[in-house]
Amino acid sequence: MTLEELKSEMSALGEKSFRAKQMYEWMHVKLAEDFGQMTNLSKELREKCQGEYSYTGLKPLRVQESQTDGTKKFLFELSDGNTVESVWMRYKHGNSVCISSQVGCRMGCAFCASTLDGLERGLLPSEMLEQVYAITRLTGERVSNVVIMGTGEPLDNYDHVVKFIRLLTDENGLHISQRNITLSTCGLAPQMRALAGEGLQITLALSLHAATDEKRRQLMPIANRYGLDELMEACAYYFEKTGRRITFEYSLLSGVNDRREDAAGLIRLVKPLNCHVNLIPVNPVKERDFRPTAQEDVIAFKNKLEKNGINVTIRREMGRDIDGACGQLRRQALKE
Ligand code: SAH
């Protein structure tokens, strides 16, 4: 619930509206784990809430810590027994959490482990928030950046994701800066346009992975629905409405999209936009046949883009030794 919703809920219970403010602070600032911890509320109110409302909690089932970079991967159990994974990464500029937005995914990208078993359901705003809150409690450190890049397609769970972002960035809550939030999508053009109109200052990342419709359709089924022209127009619109530079994610798959003509196509495609390209060496997934591009070829690809005036970075790989890529930990746990 937003603070406003909580206020009307409290007044329906006959409580004063400052109770809502106190309760909201327990939930979103002090990160209480249940109503019982809210010690400045009357015992009567706490018990009433415990009886009549549900309070989202996630049970940490597994934690894996990378021996090389300290990245931690968490597998959480939801109240219905489903599991989701989230990743905590420590950077010089602060701690970043990568959250899941759905249980599974129905987008079917050819290189991704998260989609192998299809979609179970979208996550509630509270279940997304709680990934950030639980990790804050477990690590004892503040989270400054959140990327919605874990399992699931966030724009396929649009209303819940937008509400989650509003709660996460609310000044009465944890108050994470909107500029420190990135939402990654495989390219649902209408929802990208809708997001542009939400009045948010978050970064939109588009998973491109190919510079022609033909090649993109081989990798990403969603490309059959929305072509590159439509996506680029949606990106330009997002920039126009928000002033936020677009990020394009491009996973390099050896022999598939990493050749000279692929770089040239990518340059032509993104050059007109105010953007940033993030190259990702593909994370090999057992069930899939893709191999990562060799390091020197990644650098050559990057150099080509740079020579053409495009902002480009190579994503630092973290947590490779702990199944860092989308969906791999959950899958392994499911199998076991
Ligand atoms: N559904 C959203 C967000 C989740 S995936 C999206 O598609 O953008 C986050 C990013 O990781 C996407 O760019 C996705 O294409 C990429 N990705 C998925 N599996 C990968 C793999 N095995 N190696 C490298 N990148 C991968």
Side-chain angles (χ1 to χ4, degrees):
M1 284 183 198
T2 62
L3 182 54
E4 287 314 307
E5 288 167 336
L6 198 56
K7 277 182 183 160
S8 46
E9 202 68 33
M10 283 299 116
S11 76
L13 292 180
E15 294 286 337
K16 298 243 162 47
S17 93
F18 76 93
R19 291 290 175 215
K21 190 81 195 287
Q22 285 178 323
M23 193 176 274
Y24 194 86
E25 193 180 15
W26 276 111
M27 291 172 175
H28 303 286
V29 182
K30 298 180 188 162
L31 309 185
E33 289 173 86
D34 58 55
F35 293 109
Q37 294 180 349
M38 303 181 179
T39 47
N40 60 356
L41 303 182
S42 70
K43 194 151 174 270
E44 192 194 349
L45 177 58
R46 276 181 270 157
E47 279 168 4
K48 193 178 211 169
C49 288
Q50 276 167 328
E52 290 181 25
Y53 298 90
S54 66
Y55 196 101
T56 299
L58 300 182
K59 189 166 137 207
L61 290 182
R62 291 187 189 190
V63 187
Q64 292 183 322
E65 182 165 359
S66 165
Q67 296 310 302
T68 52
D69 54 37
T71 296
K72 288 185 186 159
K73 185 150 194 173
F74 298 87
L75 185 72
F76 291 113
E77 187 177 74
L78 308 168
S79 57
D80 66 357
N82 276 307
T83 55
V84 290
E85 52 186 74
S86 326
V87 188
W88 180 83
M89 291 157 285
R90 181 183 266 141
Y91 291 100
K92 275 201 229 69
H93 60 263
N95 298 321
S96 186
V97 169
C98 176
I99 66 137
S100 293
S101 57
Q102 298 183 310
V103 181
C105 183
R106 57 175 176 163
M107 295 296 133
C109 297
F111 42 80
C112 183
S114 294
T115 197
L116 288 167
D117 295 314
L119 175 69
E120 195 64 45
R121 66 174 176 89
L123 293 183
L124 298 169
S126 60
E127 291 169 327
M128 291 181 258
L129 280 176
E130 193 50 30
Q131 293 173 58
V132 179
Y133 295 179
I135 288 178
T136 303
R137 282 188 220 108
L138 290 164
T139 59
E141 292 186 31
R142 189 180 155 79
V143 170
S144 57
N145 294 66
V146 172
V147 296
I148 311 170
M149 285 192 188
T151 294
E153 168 48 49
L155 298 185
D156 188 34
N157 186 20
Y158 187 91
D159 291 344
H160 287 169
V161 167
V162 169
K163 188 165 185 185
F164 156 70
I165 294 168
R166 292 197 197 287
L167 287 162
L168 187 66
T169 58
D170 182 10
E171 59 181 0
N172 296 302
L174 209 53
H175 200 189
I176 290 185
S177 164
Q178 288 184 359
R179 291 168 176 268
N180 292 351
I181 294 178
T182 299
L183 181 152
S184 176
T185 179
C186 63
L188 276 60
Q191 287 90 330
M192 289 162 68
R193 285 178 172 271
L195 190 67
E198 296 285 352
L200 296 170
Q201 278 291 297
I202 63 170
T203 300
L204 178 63
L206 175 64
S207 300
L208 207 49
H209 308 321
T212 63
D213 281 317
E214 194 195 353
K215 184 161 289 180
R216 202 160 179 272
R217 283 195 285 261
Q218 291 166 11
L219 298 171
M220 307 173 72
I222 193 69
N224 293 300
R225 183 114 61 98
Y226 306 112
L228 285 169
D229 283 350
E230 199 176 349
L231 288 178
M232 291 300 127
E233 276 168 27
C235 286
Y237 180 74
Y238 190 87
F239 176 73
E240 187 189 305
K241 292 284 275 187
T242 64
R244 302 289 294 160
R245 190 173 75 160
I246 300 289
T247 294
F248 292 111
E249 293 158 286
Y250 195 96
S251 291
L252 288 162
L253 312 166
S254 178
V256 177
N257 64 0
D258 63 349
R259 295 158 313 163
R260 192 179 301 231
E261 59 265 39
D262 297 311
L266 181 58
I267 291 162
R268 271 196 304 278
L269 188 66
V270 306
K271 182 106 194 185
L273 284 155
N274 197 327
C275 70
H276 166 246
V277 174
N278 197 207
L279 298 175
I280 315 172
V282 76
N283 244 302
V285 172
K286 270 196 301 299
E287 294 81 354
R288 302 293 201 223
D289 217 11
F290 296 105
R291 281 174 303 110
T293 299
Q295 174 100 37
E296 65 264 30
D297 297 334
V298 175
I299 293 169
F301 198 96
K302 170 177 187 264
N303 289 342
K304 254 178 238 141
L305 265 57
E306 259 172 359
K307 262 198 214 111
N308 284 274
I310 290 164
N311 267 300
V312 49
T313 46
I314 298 172
R315 181 168 304 173
R316 217 176 108 208
E317 285 182 273
M318 295 174 87
R320 168 80 71 100
D321 59 324
I322 53 164
D323 285 343
C326 313
Q328 299 191 83
L329 175 60
R330 173 170 173 260
R331 239 186 109 63
Q332 186 196 319
L334 275 178
K335 271 200 221 129
E336 286 169 23

